[in-house]
Amino acid sequence: MKIAPSVLNAPIENIKEWIVALEDAYMLHLDIMDGHFVPNLSFGIDIAKTYKRLSRVPLDVHLMTTHPLQWIDQFKSIQPQFITIHVESKDVEKSIETIKNEDIGVGLAVKPNTPIEVILPYLNQVDLVLIMTVEPGFGGQSFMPDMLKKVEQLQLYKHQHQFIIQVDGGIKDDHIQLCQESGVDVAVVGSYLFKQQDIKDWLKKNQ
Ligand code: DX5
Ligand code: ZN
């Protein structure tokens, strides 16, 4: 399974150590929150630029924001592998088009209570679908196994459209196999990864 570590709850005081331990990760997942779409704030473009400077791992920007266009405008400067916006946010069509025009992979995310059907009309325009396995806004919550049904439903469209499936929230190693069986391509792992004694070794074993 490809792993995208989420740095949201990573121990910032040891950044120099873990950034090296994560050098073989598939992507570094950056959670951007606006305090409106979700009831929390994380960090902005300046910290994201620091990640870009410190690591060669491709960046994966997850925008949990009501108005993604203004954030896309900032985050395009770090040329991430993907910018993912939420299907529940404003200006979805325009945001997809803007990300595409920058030659950045387009991701579309769904919250747990949003049915997968809402994503279907966009499948021909996106490179990644992010199925949230927790309510967005905070790290360290519990994985919602029911969300894997959405992953299974999406498999039916993979022969028609080219996109990868990502899951995000509450993932521990017990869930990795389940995710794999349902057809997940990339798992975002945050708090659980940073609780490991040996982060590099855990990544090697699970990736
Ligand atoms: C939740 C974020 C997740 C979170 C994952 O809003 O989108 O990326 O940081 O962290 P864990 O693995 O701790 O749930
Ligand atoms: Zn995320």
Side-chain angles (χ1 to χ4, degrees), residues 79-82 97-106 127:
Q79 277 291 309
Q81 185 87 11
F82 296 101
E97 196 185 306
T98 310
I99 300 168
K100 224 185 243 306
N101 287 342
E102 293 297 329
D103 260 338
I104 296 169
V106 180
D127 304 295

Side-chain angles (χ1 to χ4, degrees), residues 6-9 29 31 33 38 62 64 130 132 134-141 168-171 188-192:
S6 162
V7 301
L8 184 65
N9 284 357
H29 183 85
D31 287 307
M33 306 179 182
V38 290
H62 175 193
M64 284 162 273
L130 167 51
M132 289 304 300
V134 297
E135 210 46 69
F138 299 89
Q141 305 180 74
D168 181 12
I171 296 165
V188 176
V189 186
S191 341
Y192 188 72

